[in-house]
Amino acid sequence: MSLHPLAEARLRSLADVRRLPAGGPERVDALAWADGLLAYGAPTRRELADAGRIRAMAVHLAPTDVRDDARDRGVAVIESTRLWRTDAEHTLALILATLHRVPAADAAVRAGRWPHEDLKVPYSGRDLADARVGVLGGGRIGGPLL
């Protein structure tokens, strides 16, 4: 997992941080040593069973069986995948901002053109009336919105 250098420095100032090897006995040892885990992928059920000290893990996605096993052991599981609706909604917000020329209007205001100029016409953009807008793609983000 890659962290922003400032985030990693802050984390290292608060805790003893070690990189998690991709596999092999070094990975088993690292997981056995760890009190917490910050990783893209969750450990396997077997790895979790051998990692007796872990009390919390923050991962992108934990398979249901791993998540259930972890919670049964009292391990807090934090997953970033719960943001998939937020991703889709943010995409729609950017579409609306683009249609209504929000970035260009913002730049004009910051450049001091308002209140000296009428910015309504050049930055009015277009309305969504009679338009179809959506997020297309595979997976949860591009799936049907409920």
Side-chain angles (χ1 to χ4, degrees):
M1 169 173 257
S2 61
L3 290 175
H4 188 280
L6 293 176
E8 186 170 346
R10 178 70 174 142
L11 184 59
R12 288 183 181 281
S13 75
L14 298 170
D16 184 8
V17 176
R18 298 182 190 176
R19 294 252 176 215
L20 182 63
E26 297 85 10
R27 182 177 173 92
V28 173
D29 291 344
L31 286 166
W33 165 86
D35 294 310
L37 176 66
L38 173 62
Y40 184 79
T44 65
R45 290 176 71 192
R46 173 69 188 185
E47 290 173 333
L48 187 61
D50 292 339
R53 292 179 50 171
I54 288 185
R55 294 292 162 249
M57 61 182 192
V59 296
H60 175 65
L61 175 63
T64 303
D65 59 343
V66 172
R67 185 175 53 247
D68 293 347
D69 283 359
R71 289 187 177 146
D72 289 347
R73 293 183 53 222
V75 176
V77 179
I78 301 116
E79 294 179 274
S80 64
T81 60
R82 302 302 177 235
L83 298 176
W84 63 271
R85 280 195 179 116
T86 301
D87 291 342
E89 290 174 3
H90 187 72
T91 299
L92 292 173
L94 292 174
I95 290 169
L96 287 170
T98 302
L99 282 172
H100 288 282
R101 304 199 63 212
V102 171
D106 176 69
V109 170
R110 289 176 188 268
R113 293 180 51 202
W114 181 86
H116 308 293
E117 294 178 41
D118 183 3
L119 301 178
K120 289 185 290 247
V121 173
Y123 297 105
S124 62
R126 62 180 283 224
D127 293 332
L128 278 180
D130 300 320
R132 286 190 183 190
V133 177
V135 179
L136 299 176
R140 288 186 227 174
I141 294 174
L145 296 177
L146 303 176

